[in-house]
């Protein structure tokens, strides 16, 4: 941290609390909007969750159109389709409503709604040339924290690799956190997305780019999530637990949005797309592997993570012993949530491990923040050990 220049950035406005979705129309008007496009996925649309947004917009006299074609793995084609729909409607505000995929779609489409495509022109950091269509982000899962970040992760059409657009111009102009929207999440989705949020906070906390500002956010996020994830999993109608999880996810998003993630995300996003495994599940399955790989590089912080996971105040055990127990403590949380650690339980074959290691080692944006600087050989050894 010494002799390094850091900048902390985040969204400018957060509206939160049960029922806060009713403020959507008010926020569109604040942004000078009169015509909004709601971007969500077919699954959420079929459940009718978006109706609350439509009602709020209608009450405020805002014209709107529903775009319910956001894909689970958004790519250049789907982003262009969404941007075309926004332009065809003459939208002046875009509302991302859903999980990470819908929010990533809305962010990337906000770029193409203003700037010339293709979207591949904007992969990388600070490539977007100027302001985009104003975005309101409304998460329906407590997981990705995408509503709080300046990152949109897309799939390369040709290679299947995950690529990111990172730009201050795609920060949401407003974020609405309404826990009532998350009560319908099935238990397994609650578990996967919740663990993903914890991983965001943990990787940001132990990473090389952490600062006192991100540490404060990530510590609070991990404490909130560790305390509430089992409650939310066991009873999805526990609004207090749902609210805590939503805020924990958002705090983690604020944290990692300023630091990047690390080896867990590098490995998880390098698993071939052919397996069609949800992002949150991959992060959960790979997390103990990443912890075991990393803890000796930053034992002081991994000891703190272990204490949070075990809900104990540091006792007589040494920092090194507590750090070494962190992976086991994480596995215990996974067992309580009925998630198996490792990749083999999900059909990933051992023949794919070398490719995963190679791609993970090359994920510079993520590995540059990782506390242990390793190579593909070390990553492969780790993957084989925990397969």
């Amino acid at each position: 941290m010494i002799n390094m220049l850091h900048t902390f950035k985040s969204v400018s406005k957060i509206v939160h609390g049960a029922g806060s979705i009713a403020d959507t129309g008010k926020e569109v008007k604040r942004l000078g909007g009169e015509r909004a496009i709601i971007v969500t996925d077919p699954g959420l649309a079929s459940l009718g969750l978006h109706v609350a947004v439509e009602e709020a917009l209608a009450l405020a006299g805002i014209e709107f159109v529903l775009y319910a074609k956001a894909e689970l793995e958004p790519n250049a084609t789907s982003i262009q389709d969404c941007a075309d729909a926004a332009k065809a409607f003459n939208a002046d505000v875009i509302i991302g409503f859903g999980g990470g995929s819908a929010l990533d779609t809305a962010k990337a489409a906000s770029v193409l709604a203003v700037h010339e495509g293709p979207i591949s022109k904007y992969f990388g950091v600070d490539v977007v040339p100027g302001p985009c269509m104003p975005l309101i982000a409304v998460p329906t899962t407590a997981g990705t924290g995408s509503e709080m970040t300046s990152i949109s992760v897309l799939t390369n059409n040709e290679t299947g690799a995950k690529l990111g657009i990172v730009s201050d111009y795609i920060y949401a102009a407003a974020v609405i956190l309404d826990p009532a929207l998350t009560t319908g999440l099935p238990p397994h989705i609650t578990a996967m997305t919740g663990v993903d949020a914890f991983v965001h906070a943990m990787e940001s906390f132990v990473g090389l780019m952490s600062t006192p500002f991100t540490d404060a956010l990530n510590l609070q996020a991990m404490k909130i999530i560790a305390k509430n994830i089992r409650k939310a999993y066991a009873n999805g109608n526990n609004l207090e637990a749902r609210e805590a999880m939503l805020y924990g996810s958002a705090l983690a998003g604020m944290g990692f949005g300023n630091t990047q993630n690390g080896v867990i995300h590098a490995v998880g996003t390098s698993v071939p797309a052919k397996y069609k495994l949800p992002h949150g599940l991959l992060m959960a399955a790979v997390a103990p592997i990443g912890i075991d790989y990393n803890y000796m590089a930053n034992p002081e912080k991994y000891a703190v993570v272990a204490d949070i996971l075990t809900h104990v105040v540091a006792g007589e055990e040494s920092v090194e012993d507590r750090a070494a127990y962190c992976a086991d403590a994480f596995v215990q949380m996974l067992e309580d949530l009925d998630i198996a650690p490792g990749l083999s339980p999900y059909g990933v074959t051992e023949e794919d491990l070398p490719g995963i290691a190679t791609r993970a080692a090359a994920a510079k944006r993520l590995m540059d923040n990782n506390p242990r600087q390793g190579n593909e050989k070390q990553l492969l050894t780790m993957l084989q050990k925990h397969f």
Side-chain angles (χ1 to χ4, degrees):
M1 197 166 64
I2 299 171
N3 297 327
M4 286 181 67
L5 176 68
H6 293 277
T7 304
F8 182 86
K9 300 175 183 178
S10 192
V11 300
S12 58
K13 185 173 185 178
I14 305 168
V15 183
H16 58 91
S20 56
I21 194 65
D23 270 10
T24 309
K26 177 180 169 184
E27 288 306 310
V28 172
K29 283 187 169 179
R30 180 179 69 84
L31 296 170
E34 297 178 345
R35 299 173 66 81
I37 179 170
I38 305 166
V39 177
T40 191
D41 63 66
L44 280 178
S46 68
L47 294 173
L49 279 181
H50 66 285
V51 172
V53 180
E54 294 182 339
E55 290 173 347
L57 295 177
L59 201 61
I62 305 294
E63 296 287 328
F64 62 86
V65 66
L66 177 67
Y67 179 87
K69 296 194 289 183
E71 297 186 2
L72 184 62
E73 301 285 349
N75 55 51
T77 304
S78 63
I79 297 305
Q80 187 65 60
D81 188 64
C82 182
D84 289 345
K87 288 192 269 192
F89 182 66
N90 291 320
D92 46 25
V93 171
I94 188 165
I95 300 170
F97 182 86
S101 298
L103 297 179
D104 280 350
T105 297
K107 285 181 187 175
S110 77
V111 177
L112 289 190
V114 175
H115 303 287
E116 187 179 344
I119 195 65
S120 56
K121 286 169 57 174
Y122 307 111
F123 288 135
V125 180
D126 294 332
V127 185
V128 178
C132 304
M133 183 175 287
L135 167 71
I136 297 174
V138 187
T140 60
T141 64
T144 67
S146 180
E147 70 276 6
M148 307 301 298
T149 75
S150 60
I151 307 166
S152 175
V153 179
L154 309 178
T155 301
N156 183 302
N157 288 50
E158 287 75 38
T159 66
K162 297 290 182 70
L163 298 167
I165 299 167
V166 184
S167 170
D168 291 350
Y169 292 121
I170 60 173
Y171 270 121
V175 171
I176 298 176
L177 302 176
D178 189 338
L181 297 172
T182 69
T183 56
L185 278 181
H188 70 286
I189 303 293
T190 298
M192 291 189 296
T193 55
V195 174
D196 186 25
F198 190 96
V199 170
H200 288 151
M202 176 176 65
E203 290 208 283
S204 179
F205 178 64
V206 303
L208 298 177
M209 299 178 196
S210 66
T211 70
F213 298 97
T214 59
D215 280 357
L217 293 163
N218 291 320
L219 277 168
Q220 184 70 352
M222 287 187 290
K223 289 175 183 176
I224 289 174
I225 294 167
K227 182 179 178 181
N228 289 279
I229 191 168
R230 292 169 175 86
K231 296 178 188 176
Y233 174 68
N235 178 8
N237 292 315
N238 183 332
L239 195 59
E240 186 178 344
R242 288 291 196 190
E243 186 168 25
M245 290 298 295
L246 196 58
Y247 296 165
S249 173
L251 290 169
M254 292 174 75
F256 89 81
N258 283 278
T259 64
Q260 298 300 327
N261 294 122
V263 69
I264 296 169
H265 273 74
V267 171
T269 55
S270 296
V271 173
K274 66 183 180 183
Y275 292 109
K276 299 188 184 306
L277 298 171
H279 173 83
L281 178 61
L282 280 168
M283 296 308 111
V286 170
I289 305 173
I291 295 170
D292 191 32
Y293 182 73
N294 272 345
Y295 78 87
M296 66 180 179
N298 195 345
E300 293 79 11
K301 281 194 168 179
Y302 275 105
V304 172
V305 177
D307 295 342
I308 292 170
L309 285 167
T310 53
H311 308 287
V312 298
V313 178
E316 296 180 2
E317 296 88 353
S318 68
V319 165
E320 288 73 18
D321 285 346
R322 285 155 50 217
Y325 184 68
C326 189
D328 289 336
F330 200 100
V331 169
Q332 181 59 62
M333 177 173 68
L334 294 184
E335 288 178 353
D336 290 345
L337 301 172
D338 297 314
I339 298 175
L343 291 174
S344 60
Y346 306 103
V348 178
T349 63
E350 202 154 0
E351 291 73 38
D352 275 325
L353 296 186
I356 294 171
T358 299
R359 289 187 292 275
K364 184 173 170 57
R365 175 172 64 88
L366 298 167
M367 292 304 291
D368 278 356
N369 182 52
N370 198 59
R372 179 177 176 182
Q373 295 296 289
N375 55 43
E376 60 184 273
K377 183 180 178 183
Q378 292 171 323
L379 290 174
L380 179 58
T381 300
M382 171 192 74
L383 283 165
Q384 289 168 334
K385 175 184 174 184
H386 293 277
F387 182 59

